[in-house]
């Protein structure tokens, strides 16, 4: 990453994403949406999209604007599109949420807000996909291929979402209506499995090798992992749409997707173990240790999914399964990597220009891992406790778990802000001659 240009708006995406994560946790603490309401209720849809679009998708887009150019060693197709995309996504999400609140009777039922939000979101995601896609396409190897499949899945997710939104407003005809009736699992699989999980896997290959000084995983191995994941998503999207069109139901498609999903997770686990065992840095940094906790949640979610299917209770406990996957695996990994990315970019931005001309601190001098680790542990333990409370039907205790997750998150965000402010760097090294303190919310251009 040294020598790469710094993406100006990555910090702004991260800040907005974290703000939405606080909103999601506040909703959970307040008892809005699942488990107090049904999974398909409008309140749950609000919660789901605050998390999936506001938190996870924005954080992922911010990370990709920095990393796709690094992955392919080429500049971003257009740096200028990142900020308008953030504006469109934020406005689109706000309109979508207002539409959902109208659907649930909490706001006037202006259902046109749903298609309006969908159009804004499609425009925002469209800018992101074209910008990152054209960049990754220049050298589609290794992790960049995961990103391309992730972006294709994002297109499918947004297309399904837009059809649902238009159908809710009564503007999508009978085909749109039957897609809304049966296609929601396909939208969720394309979004959580294809867009977020496959992209996170792809980026993690590069980040793990980079931060642990390990050789990259052999492309042949990671290509097999990606192929299994891409087949799962293709079966879900193409097979699922076909099944709905033929009025055949999803009872054949979903088990096939499940099997390929499990194979993908197993192959990814193998690849991650290879990186860990071939690393040169024996002492693991905090971001890697905390990523291990998110891997434990991924393995736990896979195991839980299998157990629930075998006992015929998957539908009953779908919420607990999704909660562990979304907050333990995806959010856990994003938080761990965000902690390190902020430190790395802040270091590069502040000390890169004066390197070799003045003494500079190490990246690790910008953080206090001992202080930060407890907040991550609190967060993860609270997620596992919350999953258990959902499984056992203790919904008040689940709200307490969400409150503890919030405490962990406040601690993590405080650490990230301290990093950005160089608060942990000793005075003589903090700002050598010629170095400028970074802005909190965006990089200096
Ligand atoms: C263009 C962007 C999007 C739009 C317009 C949109 C719209 C919608 C709509 C209208 C529904 C409700 C369907 C129903 O009434 O049952 C829905 C459900 C859902 N969406 Fe999205 N969505 C978008 C993006 C995403 C993304 C990026 C993700 C995940 C990464 C996602 C995850 C989900 C999930 C998991 C559900 C099911 C929630 C439940 O049943 O509780 N959506 N979406």
């Amino acid at each position: 990453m040294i020598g790469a240009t710094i993406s100006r708006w990555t910090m702004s995406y991260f800040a907005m994403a974290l703000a939405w994560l606080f909103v999601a946790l506040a909703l959970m603490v307040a008892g809005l949406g699942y488990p107090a309401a049904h999974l398909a209720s409008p309140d749950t849809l609000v919660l789901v999209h605050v998390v999936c679009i506001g938190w996870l998708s924005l954080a992922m887009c911010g990370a990709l604007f920095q990393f796709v150019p690094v992955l392919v060693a080429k500049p971003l197709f257009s740096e200028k599109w990142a900020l308008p995309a953030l504006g469109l996504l934020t406005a689109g999400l706000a309109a979508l949420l207002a539409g959902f609140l109208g659907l649930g009777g909490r706001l006037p039922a202006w259902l046109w807000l749903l298609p309006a939000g969908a159009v804004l979101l499609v425009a925002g995601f469209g800018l992101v996909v074209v910008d990152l896609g054209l960049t990754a396409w220049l050298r589609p190897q290794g992790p960049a291929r995961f990103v391309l499949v992730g972006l294709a899945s994002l297109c499918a997710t947004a297309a399904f979402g837009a059809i649902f939104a238009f159908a809710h407003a009564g503007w999508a005809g009978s085909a749109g209506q039957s897609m809304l009736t049966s296609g929601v699992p396909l939208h969720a699989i394309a979004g959580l499995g294809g867009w977020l999980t496959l992209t996170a896997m792809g980026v993690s290959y590069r980040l793990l090798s980079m931060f642990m000084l390990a050789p990259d995983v052999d492309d042949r191995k990671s290509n097999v992992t990606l192929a299994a994941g891409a087949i799962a998503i293709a079966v879900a999207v193409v097979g699922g749409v076909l099944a709905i069109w033929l009025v055949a139901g999803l009872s054949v498609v979903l088990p096939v997707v499940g099997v390929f999903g499990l194979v993908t997770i197993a192959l990814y686990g193998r690849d991650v173990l290879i990186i860990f065992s071939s690393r040169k840095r024996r002492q693991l940094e905090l971001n890697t240790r905390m990523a291990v906790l998110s891997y434990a949640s991924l393995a736990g979610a896979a195991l839980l999914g299998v157990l629930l299917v075998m006992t015929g209770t998957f539908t009953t406990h779908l919420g607990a399964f999704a909660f562990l996957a979304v907050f333990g695996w995806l959010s856990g990994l994003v938080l761990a990597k965000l902690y390190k990315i902020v430190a790395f970019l802040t270091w590069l931005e502040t000390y890169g220009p004066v390197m070799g001309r003045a003494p500079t601190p190490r990246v690790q001098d910008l953080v206090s891992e001992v202080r930060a680790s407890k907040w991550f542990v609190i967060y993860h333990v609270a997620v596992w406790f919350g999953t258990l409370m959902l499984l056992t039907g203790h919904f008040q205790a689940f709200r307490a778990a969400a409150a503890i997750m919030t405490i962990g998150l406040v601690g993590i965000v405080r650490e990230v802000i301290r990093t950005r402010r160089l608060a942990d760097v000793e005075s003589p090294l903090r700002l050598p001659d010629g170095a400028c303190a970074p802005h909190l919310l965006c990089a200096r251009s």
Side-chain angles (χ1 to χ4, degrees):
M1 203 154 67
I2 293 175
T5 44
I6 295 174
S7 155
R8 176 128 204 244
W9 304 111
T10 289
M11 290 303 156
S12 325
Y13 272 76
F14 284 172
M16 187 65 90
L18 286 168
W20 281 115
L21 180 55
F22 275 118
V23 172
L25 287 170
L27 294 177
M28 289 198 284
V29 173
L32 203 111
Y34 182 83
H38 188 260
L39 264 185
S41 67
D43 282 355
T44 306
L45 292 175
V46 169
L47 186 56
V48 165
H49 289 85
V50 167
V51 174
C52 289
I53 300 179
W55 157 231
L56 290 170
S57 294
L58 287 188
M60 192 64 83
C61 291
L64 290 179
F65 279 124
Q66 178 62 44
F67 277 98
V68 171
V70 175
L71 292 179
V72 298
K74 305 268 183 206
L76 189 65
F77 177 74
S78 171
E79 175 79 28
K80 289 202 185 90
W81 293 2
L83 192 60
L86 180 59
L88 285 167
L89 291 172
T90 307
L93 178 57
L96 189 74
L97 298 180
F100 285 143
L101 290 171
L103 212 56
R106 290 185 185 272
L107 285 182
W110 294 324
L111 294 186
W112 54 267
L113 278 168
L114 289 168
V119 168
L120 291 167
L121 285 166
V122 167
F125 281 131
L127 279 184
V128 173
V129 168
V130 173
D131 203 3
L132 294 171
L134 287 177
T135 313
W137 194 251
L138 293 173
R139 195 178 288 173
Q141 291 163 353
R145 291 190 183 181
F146 279 78
V147 174
L148 285 170
V149 176
L151 292 175
S153 307
L154 174 58
C155 293
T157 310
F160 279 121
I163 293 172
F164 301 159
F166 276 77
H168 270 299
W171 300 350
S174 59
Q177 214 57 49
S178 47
M179 198 53 84
L180 176 61
T181 312
S182 316
V184 177
L186 311 179
H187 171 67
I189 291 167
L192 293 170
W195 158 231
L196 294 172
T197 291
L198 287 181
T199 313
M201 285 177 173
V203 173
S204 71
Y205 280 120
R206 192 72 206 92
L207 288 179
L208 286 174
S209 333
M210 192 159 75
F211 294 140
M212 285 198 288
L213 305 178
D216 284 326
V217 173
D218 184 350
D219 264 7
R220 278 169 304 185
K221 284 206 168 63
S222 60
N223 282 345
V224 177
T225 310
L226 176 61
I231 291 172
I233 302 305
V235 170
V237 174
V238 181
V241 169
L242 211 63
I244 291 173
W245 187 51
L246 298 172
V247 203
L250 298 176
S251 56
V252 176
V253 168
L254 294 182
V256 178
V257 173
V259 169
F260 275 101
L262 281 177
V263 172
T264 312
I265 293 173
L267 290 170
Y268 176 66
R270 174 205 60 180
D271 298 344
V272 168
L273 284 177
I274 293 175
I275 301 179
F276 269 83
S277 59
S278 59
R279 71 182 196 272
K280 296 207 177 55
R281 178 172 278 159
R282 302 321 296 174
Q283 187 73 25
L284 292 183
E285 289 179 350
L286 178 74
N287 75 90
T288 313
R289 293 200 306 276
M290 296 307 119
V292 171
L293 296 185
S294 69
Y295 291 137
S297 289
L298 176 63
L303 192 69
L304 180 64
V306 172
L307 286 176
L308 293 177
V309 169
M310 278 166 49
T311 51
T313 53
F314 187 76
T315 321
T316 323
H317 293 302
L318 179 59
F321 168 78
F323 176 78
L324 182 58
V326 165
F327 287 99
W329 152 237
L330 286 169
S331 304
L333 187 72
V334 170
L335 282 171
K337 294 302 163 193
L338 185 146
Y339 175 79
K340 179 68 187 185
I341 293 170
V342 171
F344 206 100
L345 291 184
T346 304
W347 177 83
L348 210 56
E349 184 187 345
T350 314
Y351 304 109
V354 297
M355 223 161 31
R357 288 193 276 126
T360 53
R362 300 165 308 142
V363 181
Q364 285 306 86
D365 295 331
L366 272 66
V367 294
S368 164
E369 294 202 339
V370 178
R371 211 177 45 220
S373 58
K374 65 175 172 297
W375 303 120
F376 279 96
V377 172
I378 288 173
Y379 173 85
H380 280 279
V381 171
V383 170
W384 297 330
F385 174 63
T387 309
L388 199 66
M389 292 306 102
L390 286 178
L391 284 170
T392 52
H394 292 91
F395 297 152
Q396 291 306 324
F398 171 76
R399 290 172 64 184
I404 302 170
M405 283 164 70
T406 313
I407 294 171
L409 184 67
V410 169
I412 295 169
V413 170
R414 185 172 166 270
E415 293 301 315
V416 170
I417 293 175
R418 284 182 65 84
T419 302
R420 206 59 200 142
R421 296 208 182 286
L422 309 173
D424 287 309
V425 186
E426 295 299 331
S427 206
L429 287 181
R430 192 168 169 267
L431 275 181
D433 275 351
C436 295
H439 296 308
L440 182 61
L441 295 180
C442 66
R444 289 177 183 278
S445 52

